Amino acid sequence: MDNQFPEAEFFAPKVEAAWSALQLQYAGRISESEIDHLFACFVMGLTTPDYAEQEPTLHFELCRALVARAVCI
């Protein structure tokens, strides 16, 4: 995980589990774009309580790092 976000290790197991669940539940039933959208919404919602008061760019970069990590598993 990116050293810029050491606390992201806290979110990683939940993010990876959500990605796997979406793939299992919806693969072939909805488009990949729809799965990606649902996943991005999950990651944003998961991290918002901890990052809502911080710089939006920082929050976005954390979300990007978490999404990239999960999609590559």
Side-chain angles (χ1 to χ4, degrees):
M1 178 60 53
D2 190 339
N3 290 336
Q4 183 181 359
F5 305 107
E7 65 278 6
E9 289 301 323
F10 171 77
F11 297 112
K14 295 172 185 161
V15 168
E16 291 168 4
W19 177 251
S20 294
L22 284 169
Q23 292 296 315
L24 288 172
Q25 181 68 30
Y26 296 110
R29 300 168 94 193
I30 63 175
S31 71
E32 284 295 317
S33 295
E34 291 169 314
I35 292 173
D36 292 347
H37 177 79
L38 290 173
F39 183 59
C41 289
F42 172 81
V43 172
M44 180 67 83
L46 178 69
T47 57
T48 293
D50 292 335
Y51 282 83
E53 300 298 319
Q54 296 190 31
E55 178 66 33
T57 304
L58 181 65
H59 186 199
F60 177 76
E61 291 299 325
L62 171 67
C63 289
R64 185 185 344 213
L66 288 167
V67 167
R69 176 182 176 144
V71 171
C72 291
I73 59 171

